[in-house]
Amino acid sequence: MSGFRHVVLFKWAEGTTTGQQEEVAAKLSELPGVIDEIREYSMGADAGVNPGAYDFGLVADFARREDYLVYRDHPAHRAVIEQYITPIVAERASIQYET
Amino acid sequence: MSGFRHVVLFKWAEGTTTGQQEEVAAKLSELPGVIDEIREYSMGADAGVNPGAYDFGLVADFARREDYLVYRDHPAHRAVIEQYITPIVAERASIQYET
């Protein structure tokens, strides 16, 4: 099924607590219930297999580019970013591609 | 369905040609036919929506962590990395997480 995929990886700042990381995952996990445009939503903390890996990854699938933009700019999403993610981010890597 | 996900993003070095980038995608696309452990394999070039995005992303799904390790260390995979990816990589970001 063709669509549009958003991928984002984060490295958390030194001193970030497990609780803060779990809160990010918990808050993000609420978004599919709020933003109908999300088709698939998968996330997880690094499994610790490879040195140098990022700490947290999220893959979100949409039917089309426009649906991703709705998600990107949705107030509920922006609120999670501003309140829970931005305060603890050290590095961010992302891409969007057509599937 | 639970499993194990590998995500990797690349930024290509300045001067990398479109042909080189397409060759990476073409060579990687052959791997699911060679490495049985790959359950799902999705990749794409950045759609150009957001500034600062990485240039190329790949999401690979496996039934279990051990299957990812088979893929990671498989000679056919290593050959693509060494011959086509390493020569043009500027930055790499990756994570593995349980799904």
Side-chain angles (χ1 to χ4, degrees):
Chain A
M1 187 160 57
S2 72
F4 196 81
R5 175 164 272 183
H6 164 62
V7 179
V8 61
L9 311 183
F10 295 106
K11 286 190 182 180
W12 304 131
E14 212 171 326
T16 299
T17 67
T18 303
Q20 285 175 303
Q21 297 178 42
E22 290 172 351
E23 199 161 35
V24 167
K27 293 295 178 183
L28 287 171
S29 295
E30 294 174 3
L31 295 182
V34 179
I35 307 174
D36 288 342
E37 283 79 4
I38 298 171
R39 194 156 73 181
E40 299 278 348
Y41 209 59
S42 153
M43 71 190 77
D46 183 55
V49 175
N50 297 313
Y54 276 56
D55 296 316
F56 183 82
L58 183 146
V59 178
D61 287 302
F62 305 88
R64 58 189 72 81
R65 177 187 301 234
E66 291 70 23
D67 289 354
Y68 159 68
L69 295 175
V70 169
Y71 163 77
R72 185 190 68 179
D73 300 331
H74 194 288
H77 182 215
R78 304 312 306 178
V80 175
I81 293 170
E82 283 161 29
Q83 293 172 37
Y84 298 96
I85 296 178
T86 299
I88 64 171
V89 167
E91 289 183 55
R92 180 183 187 277
S94 78
I95 193 170
Q96 294 78 41
Y97 65 86
E98 290 175 16
T99 57
Chain B
M1 187 161 55
S2 73
F4 195 82
R5 174 164 272 184
H6 164 63
V7 179
V8 61
L9 312 183
F10 294 106
K11 287 190 183 180
W12 304 130
E14 211 170 327
T16 298
T17 66
T18 303
Q20 284 176 303
Q21 297 178 43
E22 289 173 352
E23 200 160 34
V24 167
K27 293 294 177 184
L28 287 171
S29 295
E30 294 174 4
L31 295 181
V34 178
I35 306 173
D36 288 343
E37 283 78 5
I38 298 171
R39 192 156 74 181
E40 299 278 347
Y41 208 62
S42 153
M43 71 190 76
D46 182 55
V49 175
N50 296 315
Y54 276 56
D55 295 315
F56 183 81
L58 184 146
V59 178
D61 287 302
F62 304 88
R64 58 190 70 82
R65 178 187 300 233
E66 291 71 22
D67 288 354
Y68 159 68
L69 295 176
V70 170
Y71 163 78
R72 185 191 67 178
D73 301 332
H74 195 288
H77 181 214
R78 304 313 305 178
V80 175
I81 293 170
E82 284 161 29
Q83 294 171 37
Y84 298 97
I85 296 177
T86 300
I88 63 170
V89 168
E91 288 184 54
R92 180 183 186 278
S94 78
I95 193 169
Q96 293 78 42
Y97 65 87
E98 290 174 15
T99 57

